[in-house]
Amino acid sequence: MSGISNQIIMKTYNDYSELVKHPFAQNIFEKARAILHEIRDPKTGFKIDTEYKRTPTEYEYYLIGVGQSLAHLFSIIQQMEHTILYFSAFSPTKRMDEAGINRHSHLLWAIENYIIRTKSFYDRLLILIDRVFDFQNEGIYISHSSIVSNKHIKLTDIPGKVRPIKKALKKYYNDRNTIIHEQTYLDEELRKIEGLTLILDNDEIENDDLKEELQFYTRKYVKKKTQEFSRTNIKLCQLTSELFESLYNIYKNKSNL
């Protein structure tokens, strides 16, 4: 045994494909799917409001609710990861060109969508916590303060797992509010790309140097934002996996596993 470390190596969850395999997620999805397969009316499988062949029991209702909230959280995580692919996958068509969709507008669209989704991610995470504890509050009444100050949740380590996630998203808070309520996303580097694009969109201007400059700044900016969003996504998945460990214990007690 000499030379062999006794330290337990903890599995890390760095992205959607890894996090969805977390035992917490796997257990919930397995049980929720089995319940839905048994009680869901097959004729309404693609409807938004699922109809059941019989009324779910309290146990079944709990598992379905947790499973649905978890699925909605994973949907946002996947969308945030897809944003990075959108950056490097701009293939304008004639119709897009006629509509005024250029590299700048495409980047702006992707960035604003990512920033908005950081808030959606956190909101859905809070809803998941509410569902695991079986509080069944309406989503509009669930907030960071309502979760971390809840007397039942305060008895667990959940607040300590939630705060680092909120902190990791803090840098996007002001930009998100600005985008939603006031104006478009403002960034000096992105503004320079916009300016060069507008100049080159002028049919009377044909400047190879400007084209090369635009390509240079665009590649540089895309690389910068790709690295930033990738780091954020990885951090969120890692922190969420730690939260999942705590939620798993609550979930097992609530579902009598």
Side-chain angles (χ1 to χ4, degrees), residues 67-82:
Q68 289 176 338
S69 62
L70 185 60
H72 290 312
L73 174 64
F74 275 124
S75 175
I76 282 291
I77 294 173
Q78 196 172 44
Q79 289 174 20
M80 291 171 70
E81 291 184 357
H82 287 172

Side-chain angles (χ1 to χ4, degrees), residues 3 9 27 50 70 73 96 104 122 151 153 160 202 241 257:
I9 300 176
N27 190 293
T50 301
L70 185 60
L73 174 64
M96 291 169 65
H104 166 264
Y122 194 66
K151 63 180 181 179
I153 295 178
N202 189 328
S241 72
L257 298 178

Side-chain angles (χ1 to χ4, degrees), residues 11 13 18-33 62-63 65-71 73-74 124-125 127-133 158 239-255 257:
K11 178 174 174 56
Y13 300 86
E18 294 178 356
L19 191 60
V20 77
K21 295 177 183 177
H22 191 286
F24 172 62
Q26 290 284 290
N27 190 293
I28 291 172
F29 286 147
E30 179 183 352
K31 293 186 180 299
R33 287 193 196 102
Y62 173 75
L63 289 173
V66 175
Q68 289 176 338
S69 62
L70 185 60
L73 174 64
F74 275 124
R124 295 187 190 187
L125 189 74
I127 290 174
L128 172 64
I129 296 172
D130 179 273
R131 297 298 180 263
V132 170
F133 276 85
I158 301 293
L239 292 173
T240 300
S241 72
E242 295 174 13
L243 175 63
F244 278 5
E245 294 294 333
S246 300
L247 289 177
Y248 198 13
N249 293 327
I250 306 297
Y251 160 74
K252 285 187 286 189
N253 289 332
K254 289 287 184 179
S255 59
L257 298 178

Side-chain angles (χ1 to χ4, degrees), residues 129-171:
I129 296 172
D130 179 273
R131 297 298 180 263
V132 170
F133 276 85
D134 202 19
F135 296 147
Q136 297 302 322
N137 291 308
E138 290 290 333
I140 59 173
Y141 300 119
I142 301 173
S143 65
H144 173 82
S145 59
S146 72
I147 290 295
V148 299
S149 64
N150 181 278
K151 63 180 181 179
H152 299 289
I153 295 178
K154 286 173 68 174
L155 295 175
T156 71
D157 63 353
I158 301 293
K161 299 289 182 69
V162 170
R163 290 190 182 97
I165 299 175
K166 183 176 177 62
K167 184 178 179 181
L169 295 171
K170 185 177 180 180
K171 58 186 175 182

Side-chain angles (χ1 to χ4, degrees), residues 92-99:
T93 63
K94 181 180 179 181
R95 187 173 181 182
M96 291 169 65
D97 185 59
E98 291 172 348

